[in-house]
């Protein structure tokens, strides 16, 4: 029984992102994005843990994108979650075509583009090197190898909206990926101490009454 | 004919009054409670119950299956009985063994399902369940009462009624996990089913079935001890027993993490109260029904015990309130001129908060036809899909923050007392804890459970920007305020979504949050054991399946405790 519920996978992704240093709001967005990917039969956990491992020890400000000409660019390889949030937040102001320069683990940005599609009531096409994705709020059609580490993407609006397809409702990350995410998540837990055990939860330790 | 006022003209109580922790910590169950939603449905739809298996052996270990058949679907409690040494018995999340463990199976389990569950359910958090399971739970005995009941029944005698009433339950659950935890089915899998659409119905059904199992189990133990001499528990004594629940901090974050859902619960209750208050008159029958239930409730107060000084004080206040209400009802002869409204207005100055909320729940009772429909609005399956609206202006976001948190903007959050606490999760079995920020090294691990503080910080940052700026631009520069802004947008149409008190204050009582949630479950007999741990009883007085009917599916909560 190795499958996880979508609630579990979302919670794990959220905690892993937080453990890796994201603010709670972005951690929450990460959880939602990974859940969306699994719903659409994509291995969101592998993409996330690869990204968290890559960015470890670097200054987050370097991955944060800024608007530049016809798209978004970061000083160093672009954070897919930050980029995604910007796209979704600006859904109504996006140019018909825009470029995401060197976005890391680009699979992770797709749920946000889907959100933007939903907010505008349109579809979106995302293309990259031997990559293509057609998205609407709740539908995804991918071709190419989206497990690559970094790609420059073109995002454009299209009028036609994909119809919603059957969704997955469980997640099956590999043991290794899950363990790596749990490692990141573990950084959100306070080390247990005898004092905190006695005080923190209030109850005594034995209940025979 | 009773005319209901249109909703727009109803006067709902101010969230600034209702959403204070002291009042939330004084809430009482009502006819909108999740337990009663379930019992009403099961009676109305003539649910059928059976016990396909009872395989508990001579050492008191083994399993049992209890199946509830609704009109469209069946649900089965798979129960495991264990032989738990006393020194291992603990209500804490960090426990690793229990007297009994359970899963609610979505359907009727096969032998393979039961075997799979046997490998996992007794381990609880250390095991896994599948999407065929809806809940995972465990329970421990009330040791003294259990031993007393087994001993008496084994001797062919009934247990002492006073002892039963004093404790109220033979077993108490220490967690009931649902909604995708530990591998169980996500709520989305069941939310469209009519019988599961109201909140926590799977959990309520789980506890209802556990109660049946516990009765069977105690009788089994009595037979093991007494052989042919043993007798079953008398029906009236069994009816008075509920299933206890021991709730700690794990439940408190829920209200903060689900503001729209919490709003929907409170809004349903406040709307119900407002509908009744708007009634121009009460009939003799309705008034008599109310006064009868009041008297039964007042009598039941005598059995509500607690050792905790806070609760003792509240109970004293409530008993005095009951006396005041009784005097008022005796002198009240006028049943028009909005009698319920006049009663509630009187209560605002004459009664404690406990008394006011107790009365607020009671006035709903004669009017199921007018308010029970509100239970359809208590779920929330939408908030999680809401996206942040980047077009909203900085000025509007500030306005939204002021709506819930104007009081918080005035606080000095640097003050030691104001930020004394921090909620965190311990590496020890992931137990949620509440610590003292200034005394323990926990600040780095703080969970986002202080929305008032975070909203204030966001507000101060927003104040540096032009009001007309789209918040999307603000967020590019300040991603750290994303959660607070999302939350402000989320509760824009949820006036009762935010607790209007500081959840990290030095004097904050977590039991106020626990009680608020438990009151919506339908719990009674709140018995705090500390400021962050409370025991309650569920289904005490409820009919067992063989007696469940539309006549008793609602008012069993007022059944006289045996004495």
């Amino acid at each position: 029984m190795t499958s996880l519920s979508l609630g579990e996978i979302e919670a794990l992704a959220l905690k892993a992102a937080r453990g890796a240093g994201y603010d709670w709001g972005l951690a929450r967005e990460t959880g939602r994005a990974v859940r969306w990917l699994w719903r659409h039969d994509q291995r969101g956990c592998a993409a996330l843990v690869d990204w968290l491992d890559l960015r470890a020890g670097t200054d987050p400000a370097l991955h944060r994108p800024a608007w530049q000409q016809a798209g978004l660019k970061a000083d160093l390889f672009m954070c897919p979650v930050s980029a995604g949030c910007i796209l979704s937040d600006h859904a109504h102001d996006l140019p018909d075509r825009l470029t995401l320069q060197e976005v890391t683990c680009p699979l992770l940005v797709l749920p946000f583009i889907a959100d933007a599609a939903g907010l505008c009531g349109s579809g979106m096409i995302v293309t990259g090197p031997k990559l293509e994705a057609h998205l609407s709020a709740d539908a995804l059609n991918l071709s190419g190898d989206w497990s690559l580490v970094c790609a420059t993407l073109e995002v454009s609006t299209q009028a036609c909206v994909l119809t919603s397809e059957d969704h997955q409702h469980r997640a099956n990350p590999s043991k290794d990926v899950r363990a790596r995410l749990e490692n990141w998540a573990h950084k959100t837990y306070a080390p247990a101490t005898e004092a905190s055990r006695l005080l923190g939860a209030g109850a005594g330790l034995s209940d025979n009454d | 004919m009773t005319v209901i006022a249109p909703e727009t003209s109803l006067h709902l109580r101010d969230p600034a009054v209702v959403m204070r922790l002291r009042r939330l910590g004084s809430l009482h169950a009502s006819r909108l409670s999740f337990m009663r939603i379930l019992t009403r449905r099961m009676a109305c739809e003539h649910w059928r119950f059976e016990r396909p298996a009872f395989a508990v052996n001579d050492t008191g270990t083994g399993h049992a299956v209890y199946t509830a058949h609704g009109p469209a679907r069946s649900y089965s409690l798979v129960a495991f009985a264990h032989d738990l040494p006393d020194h291992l018995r603990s209500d804490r999340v960090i426990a690793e063994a229990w007297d009994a463990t359970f899963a609610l199976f979505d359907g009727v389990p096969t032998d393979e399902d039961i075997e799979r569950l046997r490998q996992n359910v007794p381990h609880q958090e250390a095991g896994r369940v599948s999407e065929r399971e809806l809940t995972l739970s465990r329970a421990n005995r009330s040791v003294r009462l259990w031993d007393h009941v087994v001993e008496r029944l084994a001797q062919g005698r009934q247990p002492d009624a006073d002892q039963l009433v004093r404790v109220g339950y033979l077993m108490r659950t220490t967690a009931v996990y649902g909604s995708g935890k530990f591998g169980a089915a996500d709520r989305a899998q069941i939310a469209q089913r009519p019988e599961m659409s109201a909140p926590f119905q799977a959990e309520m059904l789980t506890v209802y079935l556990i109660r049946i199992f516990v009765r069977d189990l105690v009788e089994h133990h009595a037979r093991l001890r007494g052989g042919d001499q043993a007798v079953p528990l008398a029906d009236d004594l069994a009816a008075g027993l509920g299933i206890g629940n021991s709730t700690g901090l794990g439940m408190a974050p829920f209200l903060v993490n689900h503001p729209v859902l919490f709003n929907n619960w409170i809004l349903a209750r406040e709307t119900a109260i407002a509908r009744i208050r708007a009634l121009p008159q009460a009939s003799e029958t309705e008034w008599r029904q109310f006064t009868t239930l009041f008297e039964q409730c007042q009598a039941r107060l005598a059995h509500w015990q607690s050792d905790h000084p806070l609760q003792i004080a509240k109970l004293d206040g409530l008993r005095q309130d009951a006396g005041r209400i009784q005097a008022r009802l005796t002198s009240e002869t006028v049943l028009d001129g909005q009698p319920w409204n006049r009663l509630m207005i009187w209560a605002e100055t004459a009664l404690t908060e406990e008394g006011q909320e107790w009365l607020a729940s009671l006035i709903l009772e004669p009017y199921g036809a007018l308010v029970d429909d509100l239970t359809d609005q208590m779920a929330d399956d939408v908030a999680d899909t809401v996206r942040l609206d980047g077009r909203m202006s900085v000025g509007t976001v500030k306005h939204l923050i002021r709506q819930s948190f104007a009081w918080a903007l005035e606080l000095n959050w640097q003050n030691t007392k104001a930020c004394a606490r921090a909620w965190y999760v311990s590496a020890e079995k992931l137990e949620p804890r509440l610590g003292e920020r200034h005394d323990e090294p926990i600040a780095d691990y703080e969970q986002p459970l202080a929305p008032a503080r975070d909203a204030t910080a966001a507000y101060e940052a927003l104040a540096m920007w032009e009001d007309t700026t789209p918040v999307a631009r603000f967020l590019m520069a300040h991603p750290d305020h994303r959660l607070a802004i999302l939350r402000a947008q989320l509760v824009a149409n949820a006036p009762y979504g935010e607790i209007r008190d500081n959840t990290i204050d030095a004097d904050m009582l977590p039991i106020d949050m626990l009680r608020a949630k438990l009151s919506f479950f339908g719990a009674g007999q709140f018995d705090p054991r500390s400021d962050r741990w409370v025991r309650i009883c569920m289904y005490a007085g409820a009919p067992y399946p063989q007696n469940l009917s539309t006549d008793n599916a609602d008012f069993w909560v007022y059944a006289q405790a045996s004495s």
Side-chain angles (χ1 to χ4, degrees):
Chain A
M1 207 177 337
T2 54
S3 82
L4 276 68
S5 68
L6 294 184
E8 283 184 293
I9 213 73
E10 180 171 356
L12 177 58
L14 186 159
K15 286 192 277 191
R18 173 63 181 171
Y22 277 102
D23 296 306
W24 285 108
L26 289 174
R28 180 191 162 119
E29 297 282 4
T30 306
R32 296 194 49 191
V34 169
R35 181 186 187 134
W36 190 96
L37 285 169
W38 279 106
R39 243 169 78 80
H40 296 272
D41 208 18
Q42 299 302 314
R43 307 198 73 78
C45 291
L48 175 63
V49 82
D50 284 346
W51 166 236
L52 294 182
D53 288 347
L54 259 173
R55 75 187 274 285
T58 60
D59 177 2
L62 295 173
H63 309 298
R64 215 171 284 153
W67 289 113
Q68 196 172 84
Q69 291 179 311
L72 290 174
K73 188 177 189 308
D75 287 344
L76 211 50
F77 34 94
M78 193 189 305
C79 168
V81 177
S82 302
C85 286
I86 292 169
L87 293 179
S88 170
D89 293 350
H90 288 86
H92 298 272
D93 293 325
L94 295 177
D96 288 337
R97 282 186 88 80
L98 65 94
T99 306
L100 303 178
Q101 289 283 355
E102 292 180 353
V103 58
T104 332
C105 298
L107 189 68
L108 286 169
V109 84
L110 295 183
F112 298 93
I113 297 175
D115 284 334
L119 287 164
C120 298
S122 69
M124 295 277 188
I125 305 179
V126 185
T127 54
K130 299 204 185 115
L131 299 173
E132 193 157 305
H134 292 250
L135 299 112
S136 62
D138 210 18
L140 174 65
N141 215 323
L142 284 190
S143 59
D145 180 8
W146 281 85
S147 68
L148 79 175
V149 166
C150 190
T152 292
L153 302 176
E154 301 290 323
V155 182
S156 46
T157 320
Q158 64 168 7
C160 139
V161 176
L162 284 181
T163 49
S164 213
E165 80 263 341
D166 281 340
H167 296 125
Q168 302 299 312
H169 52 268
R170 304 292 287 186
N172 284 288
S174 74
K175 266 174 84 168
D176 170 65
V177 162
R178 189 173 164 190
R180 286 160 65 200
L181 280 177
E182 303 269 10
N183 269 344
W184 282 114
H186 201 85
K187 294 178 194 301
T188 65
Y189 311 139
T193 65
E194 188 59 27
S196 77
R197 171 199 278 216
L198 288 172
L199 296 171
L205 293 172
S206 139
D207 289 290
N208 286 296
D209 63 342
Chain B
M1 192 190 78
T2 323
V3 177
I4 311 165
E7 305 288 65
T8 48
S9 74
L10 282 184
H11 172 70
L12 269 58
R13 293 190 294 178
D14 187 349
V17 168
V18 174
M19 299 308 288
R20 301 301 305 275
L21 273 176
R22 269 187 45 160
R23 185 169 295 267
L24 293 173
S26 303
L27 288 183
H28 285 256
S30 77
R31 61 179 305 117
L32 304 183
S33 304
F34 308 147
M35 258 193 274
R36 284 175 67 175
I37 295 174
L38 180 67
T39 53
R40 277 199 294 269
R41 171 182 291 281
M42 294 192 302
C44 196
E45 292 178 352
H46 307 288
W47 284 42
R48 238 183 354 103
F49 294 81
E50 56 182 352
R51 190 181 78 177
F54 190 86
V56 180
N57 62 23
D58 294 349
T59 65
T61 61
H63 81 277
V65 180
Y66 295 80
T67 302
H69 298 285
R73 277 162 290 269
S74 302
Y75 300 89
S76 301
L77 181 80
V78 181
F80 296 96
H82 308 291
D83 185 16
L84 180 68
D86 284 347
H87 70 279
L88 290 183
R89 183 170 294 105
S90 165
D91 288 1
R92 291 276 296 272
V93 167
I94 54 178
E96 292 179 351
W98 301 269
D99 284 307
T101 54
F102 311 95
L104 186 70
F105 183 85
D106 191 11
V108 182
T110 62
D111 289 342
E112 286 75 28
D113 290 317
I114 293 172
E115 190 48 40
R116 170 177 59 80
L117 293 173
R118 191 196 309 280
Q119 300 300 321
N120 282 275
V121 168
H123 301 289
Q124 293 287 291
E125 295 96 337
R128 298 285 302 163
V129 287
S130 77
E131 59 185 309
R132 298 306 314 278
E133 284 75 55
L134 304 185
T135 71
L136 178 71
S137 54
R138 69 287 196 106
N140 284 332
R141 296 174 191 166
S142 164
V143 173
R144 285 169 311 147
L145 189 64
W146 184 272
D147 289 347
H148 168 73
V149 172
V150 169
E151 187 53 37
R152 285 289 185 94
L153 296 181
Q155 293 167 3
R157 302 161 64 201
Q158 290 298 317
D160 175 57
D162 282 342
Q163 275 206 46
L164 294 190
V165 160
R166 196 165 34 250
V167 180
Y169 53 81
L170 282 164
M171 276 201 174
R172 59 178 175 270
T173 53
T174 64
V176 182
Y177 295 115
S179 296
K181 295 197 185 65
F182 307 108
D186 288 303
R187 174 164 166 82
Q189 299 307 114
I190 60 172
Q192 304 311 314
R193 305 177 187 181
E195 69 272 18
M196 291 288 148
S197 58
F200 290 101
Q201 295 299 283
E203 290 86 343
M204 296 300 110
L205 178 60
T206 299
V207 178
Y208 185 75
L209 296 172
I210 287 176
R211 182 169 175 255
I212 308 169
F213 166 71
V214 167
R215 180 181 182 175
D216 287 351
L217 189 65
V218 78
E219 289 175 352
H220 176 80
H221 276 263
R223 280 193 302 276
L224 286 179
R225 195 180 296 188
D228 290 338
Q229 210 182 7
V231 296
L233 186 58
D235 280 349
D236 60 327
L237 294 182
L241 286 173
I243 291 293
N245 175 267
S246 185
T247 298
L249 287 176
M251 189 180 271
F254 186 92
L255 299 184
V256 177
N257 286 329
H258 297 90
V260 175
L261 182 62
F262 191 36
N263 168 81
N264 292 356
W265 302 354
I266 302 272
L267 180 61
R269 184 168 183 270
E270 292 302 314
T271 304
I273 293 165
R275 281 182 183 176
I276 303 318
R277 289 176 73 161
L279 292 173
Q281 68 215 29
S283 72
E284 290 278 355
T285 313
E286 287 155 0
W287 190 256
R288 197 163 40 248
Q289 186 171 33
F290 168 76
T291 55
T292 306
L293 290 175
F294 164 72
E295 280 155 22
Q296 288 176 353
C297 223
Q298 185 180 28
R300 244 189 129 132
L301 276 184
H303 301 301
W304 184 350
Q305 315 268 350
S306 181
D307 294 329
H308 198 274
L310 278 172
Q311 189 62 36
I312 290 172
K314 283 179 129 190
L315 282 172
D316 282 343
L318 187 57
R319 289 186 184 110
Q320 287 175 41
D321 282 345
R324 294 183 186 106
I325 296 171
Q326 184 172 38
R328 163 104 194 192
L329 293 182
T330 312
S331 66
E332 179 65 71
T333 52
V334 178
L335 298 190
D336 56 20
Q338 294 192 321
W340 305 112
N341 193 40
R342 287 188 287 110
L343 189 59
M344 289 296 290
I345 290 171
W346 164 80
E348 277 165 26
T349 50
L351 306 182
T352 64
E353 275 154 336
E354 275 266 10
Q356 292 171 34
E357 296 311 320
W358 188 54
L359 194 61
S361 289
L362 273 170
I363 65 173
L364 307 182
E365 291 293 5
Y367 296 104
L370 296 187
V371 303
D372 286 354
D373 65 301
L374 289 163
T375 60
D376 294 338
Q377 299 168 27
M378 290 174 93
D380 165 57
D381 294 302
V382 170
D384 284 347
T385 66
V386 171
R387 297 302 300 145
L388 192 142
D389 180 1
R391 290 171 302 174
M392 184 179 283
S393 73
V394 161
T396 305
V397 176
K398 281 162 61 184
H399 168 75
L400 290 179
I401 290 175
R402 282 195 303 271
Q403 265 185 341
S404 295
F405 293 122
W407 58 272
L409 302 179
E410 307 300 314
L411 279 191
N412 173 10
W413 287 95
Q414 267 64 56
N415 175 278
T416 312
K417 181 181 183 297
C419 62
R421 261 71 174 284
W423 298 82
Y424 66 99
V425 175
S426 171
E428 188 172 6
K429 221 186 162 197
L430 307 193
E431 183 180 53
R433 294 183 183 168
L434 180 69
E436 303 299 321
R437 178 193 311 276
H438 309 300
D439 301 335
E440 304 172 60
I442 50 174
D444 288 345
Y445 305 99
E446 184 175 8
Q447 297 284 311
L449 293 169
R453 176 199 57 191
D454 298 340
T456 302
Y459 191 93
E460 284 165 3
L462 286 162
M464 303 297 193
W465 291 61
E466 289 282 337
D467 272 358
T468 51
T469 314
V471 78
R473 206 178 312 155
F474 169 83
L475 281 168
M476 281 187 76
H478 293 284
D480 49 323
H481 293 301
R482 187 176 190 84
L483 192 61
I485 288 164
L486 177 63
R487 203 181 164 95
Q489 292 186 348
L490 207 54
V491 302
N493 295 313
Y496 298 103
E498 296 287 8
I499 294 169
R500 308 279 181 111
D501 265 307
N502 180 358
T503 53
I504 53 172
D505 185 87
D507 297 331
M508 186 268 312
L509 296 174
I511 43 170
D512 286 341
M513 295 162 76
L514 305 184
R515 168 131 173 208
K517 186 176 178 193
L518 291 167
S519 74
F520 280 98
F521 281 12
Q525 310 290 104
F526 299 99
D527 176 19
R529 294 306 178 97
S530 77
D531 70 338
R532 57 195 67 185
W533 176 36
V534 62
R535 294 230 180 122
I536 50 140
C537 200
M538 294 176 63
Y539 289 114
Y544 286 80
Q546 55 268 34
N547 300 322
L548 182 63
S549 77
T550 49
D551 286 339
N552 59 24
D554 248 322
F555 296 118
W556 56 264
V557 294
Y558 299 103
Q560 290 281 19
S562 302
S563 55

